[in-house]
Amino acid sequence: MKKLLSLLVIMQLVVFGVKAGDNDGGFGIKGGVGLTSILMGEDNSYNDVRNKMKVGGFAAFSYEKRFGDVFALDIEAGYANKGVRTSGTVPLTNEKLIFKVNTHQVEVPISMKFYIGDNFNINIGPYASFITAARAKLTHEDANGDVVDEKKGVNMMSKDYEDADGNNLYNRFDLGANLGLEFISNKGIGVGARINQGFMDLINDDYAGYFGTDAIIPAGDNKWSANTGIQVYGIFRF
């Protein structure tokens, strides 16, 4: 990820040397960081489930088409690192399960932009994404707080962590929406910030996987969960 962001910065500096003209849309690069989490609905599987924000980066190629002075349509395609830091207590045994999950996603946002003057815009629109991997650190503590088992860097979407019926912990596809604000100079350099919220249930309700000999999530618990977060990023137009 660091190498990718460094390459994007170098490309921006090289192209900036020959960039000229008005803020009239075109191809570009976006990249930045975000704070993400996974919102949880009512959960009958754990007591006292706590989700926290985690830092993740994203980078994308984009194309913006202006339609007059006010309206524009922007399409992106790129990589986003999302996920969650969470912990929960297993009922009856009071054992604790602690997760830090990094989801690696191919993401395609489509934004409608409404310009205020030549350089500021408010944007809103849907996104679709596909989860390629979900790297996790899994820690299992007993009721006394002693570590029973710990695994790092495991891919919860791999075959090793499928349940007996071949189900994964997370559903692969996500749909959601972004709402943001951008400033783009006449030379094509800009900054932006946006809120993103997923609408799809990420947890596969049919999943009955295991951590050692203990069930992580019983099948059929009907847990509802969705991506949520904010992103701050830089923009450069070719």
Side-chain angles (χ1 to χ4, degrees), residues 3-81:
K3 292 181 179 179
L4 176 58
L5 292 177
S6 298
L7 178 60
L8 293 180
V9 170
I10 292 171
M11 291 176 65
Q12 289 179 4
L13 293 175
V14 170
V15 180
F16 180 66
V18 297
K19 174 70 179 178
D22 297 327
N23 178 18
D24 56 357
F27 290 98
I29 297 172
K30 297 182 181 181
V33 296
L35 290 173
T36 68
S37 187
I38 296 179
L39 288 179
M40 303 291 285
E42 183 177 353
D43 175 22
N44 297 320
S45 300
Y46 302 124
N47 295 327
D48 194 26
V49 173
R50 295 190 179 96
N51 283 354
K52 298 180 180 180
M53 291 283 192
K54 65 167 287 294
V55 177
F58 86 98
F61 291 98
S62 65
Y63 178 76
E64 180 179 318
K65 174 65 177 177
R66 292 290 292 267
F67 298 90
D69 295 331
V70 176
F71 182 74
L73 191 65
D74 185 273
I75 301 175
E76 299 174 39
Y79 161 84
N81 174 253

Side-chain angles (χ1 to χ4, degrees), residues 184-238:
I184 307 173
S185 73
N186 289 338
K187 290 186 176 295
I189 301 293
V191 294
R194 62 190 178 194
I195 301 169
N196 46 65
Q197 177 61 55
F199 299 146
M200 304 294 290
D201 186 355
L202 293 182
I203 297 295
N204 182 353
D205 292 335
D206 294 328
Y207 181 76
Y210 295 90
F211 185 86
T213 58
D214 302 296
I216 295 177
I217 297 175
D221 67 351
N222 295 317
K223 182 193 282 80
W224 180 88
S225 64
N227 273 318
T228 186
I230 58 174
Q231 294 173 328
V232 179
Y233 53 93
I235 305 164
F236 184 78
R237 297 272 176 74
F238 293 6

Side-chain angles (χ1 to χ4, degrees), residues 73-114:
L73 191 65
D74 185 273
I75 301 175
E76 299 174 39
Y79 161 84
N81 174 253
K82 297 184 178 182
V84 66
R85 295 169 60 93
T86 187
S87 64
T89 303
V90 180
L92 300 179
T93 66
N94 288 324
E95 295 172 298
K96 192 174 184 179
L97 300 176
I98 303 168
F99 298 81
K100 179 181 178 181
V101 181
N102 285 287
T103 58
H104 302 278
Q105 304 180 201
V106 177
E107 197 158 273
V108 180
I110 301 175
S111 300
M112 296 175 291
K113 294 185 173 182
F114 302 90

Side-chain angles (χ1 to χ4, degrees), residues 117-137:
D118 293 332
N119 305 112
F120 286 94
N121 73 75
I122 297 172
N123 55 83
I124 186 171
Y127 73 80
S129 67
F130 178 81
I131 298 176
T132 61
R135 299 283 177 184
K137 177 182 178 181

